[in-house]
Amino acid sequence: MTASPNLSRRFVAEVVGTFFLVIAALLSPPGLTFALVGATLLVMVIALGQVSGAHLNPAVTLGLITARLFPLREGLVYFVAQVLGAFLALGFGQLVDRRLPVAGAHGNALWFELLGTALLVFVVVRVVMAKAAPEASALAIGIALTVGIAIAGPSSGGVLNPAIALVLLAGNLLRGPVFVNLIYFAAPLVAGALAALLARSLAPEGAQERDRQEVVARPVHDSRDLG
């Protein structure tokens, strides 16, 4: 049985994957963002899924933690990696002097950010619990993000990712008051947790306890993880 990559390698994978995902979100031609971001997630799940699981989104990581499919301690490391990858993408976008998109929230943006993120996280959790083949997982997750962005886009811009929300906030790429713009950060996290609970509730009898034991039984990475 092949040992899982250590935490440092998974950290790098999450940085790299999130970087490319955010690059797609920031630099895609207008009108194609939803398709290119979904396609980017699809290929990153194929490329990095066996390294880190290719979460690339704090809402996804929180959802998997909530569903007891991922350890909290490692999840915190993933959060840092995702935010780092997102800010590296922002720096690159500013370096190449490409006009970055500006998002503006409509009155119902909160509900669409919740809906789009819930769709993505629900699919991710169900795919993980079903232990789907890597190719099927990548296709399902990539399409889920594409559909989520397409649904939410006209009302909220379809951010659906707290790491991207932080980049937009830091880069002054969100119109409106700061308090209102915080929905882009908070709504995906709330939606991720709720969607994970719903997805978990659909598990067959005995599957929840079995998955919990598998997570608990995973070896705790020692100090070599970070070296």
Side-chain angles (χ1 to χ4, degrees), residues 9 39 46 56 59 62 69 73 109 113 120 166 173-174 188 203:
R9 289 185 176 86
I46 293 174
L56 316 186
L62 178 61
L69 296 171
R73 183 180 73 88
E113 286 294 301
L120 172 63
L166 287 177
L173 300 174
L174 287 174

Side-chain angles (χ1 to χ4, degrees), residues 65-207:
I65 292 170
T66 302
R68 295 186 295 176
L69 296 171
F70 198 74
L72 173 60
R73 183 180 73 88
E74 295 179 13
L76 296 176
V77 175
Y78 273 43
F79 291 152
V80 174
Q82 292 154 1
V83 171
L84 176 59
F87 273 92
L88 288 174
L90 173 64
F92 180 83
Q94 294 173 333
L95 179 66
V96 299
D97 198 27
R98 180 83 167 266
R99 182 179 296 276
L100 301 180
V102 177
H106 295 256
N108 55 2
L110 169 64
W111 302 109
F112 281 94
E113 286 294 301
L114 288 169
L115 178 63
T117 309
L119 170 62
L120 172 63
V121 176
F122 179 83
V123 170
V124 170
V125 173
R126 290 304 310 158
V127 162
V128 171
M129 296 191 72
K131 297 178 173 61
E135 297 81 4
S137 299
L139 184 62
I141 293 169
I143 291 176
L145 181 59
T146 300
V147 173
I149 294 174
I151 291 172
S155 294
S156 70
V159 177
L160 315 185
N161 187 325
I164 296 178
L166 287 177
V167 161
L168 296 176
L169 287 167
N172 294 318
L173 300 174
L174 287 174
R175 297 192 185 97
V178 173
F179 177 77
V180 174
N181 290 337
L182 285 176
I183 68 171
Y184 286 100
F185 177 79
L189 293 174
V190 173
L194 294 176
L197 291 174
L198 174 61
R200 187 75 184 176
S201 71
L202 299 177
E205 289 293 330

